Amino acid sequence: MRKTGIMEWVLSAVYPRRCPVCHDIVQPKGELVCSACAGKIQPVGEPRCKKCSKPLQKEDQEYCADCSRRGHVFEEAVGILPYNKVMQESLLKCKYGGRREYLDYYGETMARAAGRYLSRWQPQALVPIPLHKSQLRLRGFNQSACLAHALGKKYGIPVYEHMLEKIRKTRSQKGLEHDQRKLNLKGVFSAGKDFRLLESVVLVDDVYTTGSTVDEAAGCLKKAGAGKVYVLTLCIGKGF
Ligand SMILES: [Zn+2]
Ligand SMILES: [Zn+2]
């Protein structure tokens, strides 16, 4: 057994991996999710909004209510899993309850589904939505960066964690209307030390709800000279 193998074995004996769906110890051991829970998280199916990929109710609908009302700064966004009760709770436990290991499962799920979009967009870099340094210190990890690294590893695309910086703390976007969200986020990002002029980049985030965060980030990158900006998120809200 290699040294890291022994460490992993000791850690897994002391802190057994928890399941991102039921939050119990994963059964069978060695998996990222319980076999009984795996089917409870299924990728979003068609019909979906052609701009932001939100699930829609009717087959003949092209865009969700949001995208029919207003445009976006990014080219196209794709969210892999529905932002339902299971995923809301799972992400809460991951981000605020110290369940960092859930990101292994999220990253794998996202990477499995993302191939067709990445081959269409041909990005030169993956750019995670950054946290403010005080948030990062508190949480110890940036979930979006973890997801970006899972994608980067599978598809051989570089991850530039500091292409964007979050230069100001923001209050929660929950319960804010579109205009208030926009105002809350205005000027929150700046081009960071990893910034370079690229023709195509993909922003990576954990959740897409109204798209105001990724629009602000895409606007910042484009103002600095970036070409096309696409978006990949783990979860996406409903479009109706
Ligand atoms: Zn489970
Ligand atoms: Zn849409």
Side-chain angles (χ1 to χ4, degrees):
M1 200 185 281
R2 287 174 301 116
K3 215 173 179 182
T4 50
I6 295 169
M7 262 324 280
E8 271 165 28
W9 182 83
V10 170
L11 281 172
S12 74
V14 183
Y15 303 106
R17 183 178 277 281
R18 298 259 164 180
C19 168
V21 178
C22 71
H23 312 291
D24 252 328
I25 292 165
V26 171
Q27 295 296 345
K29 206 167 168 250
E31 297 295 321
L32 300 180
V33 65
C34 307
S35 45
C37 292
K40 291 181 187 158
I41 310 181
Q42 292 292 341
V44 175
E46 297 293 335
R48 315 180 75 173
C49 172
K50 289 197 162 50
K51 184 76 181 175
C52 76
S53 88
K54 274 188 179 172
L56 302 172
Q57 244 169 346
K58 297 191 203 110
E59 288 286 347
D60 58 351
Q61 216 179 329
E62 257 190 297
Y63 298 104
C64 70
D66 274 353
C67 295
S68 344
R69 254 199 314 266
R70 55 183 95 89
H72 287 289
V73 182
F74 58 78
E75 271 41 64
E76 187 185 353
V78 173
I80 306 300
L81 300 174
Y83 194 42
N84 54 19
K85 270 221 169 78
V86 170
M87 281 312 296
Q88 282 169 16
E89 198 186 314
S90 185
L91 273 164
L92 268 179
K93 289 217 156 74
C94 171
K95 292 198 279 185
Y96 305 102
R99 291 271 163 241
R100 185 180 179 160
E101 74 255 41
Y102 291 3
L103 283 156
D104 297 336
Y105 180 67
Y106 302 158
E108 198 189 270
T109 305
M110 209 173 164
R112 208 181 308 129
R116 50 196 276 224
Y117 309 107
L118 293 172
S119 65
R120 191 163 84 216
W121 301 336
Q122 295 288 314
Q124 293 149 302
L126 301 169
V127 180
I129 294 293
L131 295 178
H132 186 262
K133 58 178 189 292
S134 61
Q135 278 174 297
L136 185 61
R137 212 177 304 128
L138 197 68
R139 191 172 304 167
F141 61 91
N142 174 359
Q143 68 283 354
S144 304
C146 300
L147 297 172
H149 283 294
L151 292 166
K153 201 171 154 194
K154 176 155 174 146
Y155 296 100
I157 305 167
V159 176
Y160 296 137
E161 278 194 45
H162 299 282
M163 186 124 157
L164 275 178
E165 299 292 351
K166 189 169 180 184
I167 53 177
R168 181 164 62 74
K169 268 168 85 173
T170 44
R171 66 181 181 110
S172 164
Q173 297 277 89
K174 249 190 203 131
L176 295 184
E177 292 296 321
H178 177 259
D179 290 348
Q180 292 172 300
R181 280 177 183 245
K182 244 180 121 174
L183 207 66
N184 189 31
L185 288 167
K186 205 171 162 48
V188 80
F189 299 117
S190 105
K193 65 176 194 297
D194 284 348
F195 184 82
R196 54 203 78 193
L197 286 171
L198 299 174
E199 279 164 32
S200 175
V201 299
V202 172
L203 287 169
V204 180
D205 205 0
D206 53 347
V207 182
Y208 181 109
T209 46
T210 65
S212 40
T213 305
V214 284
D215 267 333
E216 182 66 25
C220 174
L221 290 177
K222 288 191 174 190
K223 224 161 104 189
K228 295 203 156 52
V229 180
Y230 299 93
V231 178
L232 259 181
T233 62
L234 174 68
C235 292
I236 186 147
K238 275 187 192 165
F240 51 91

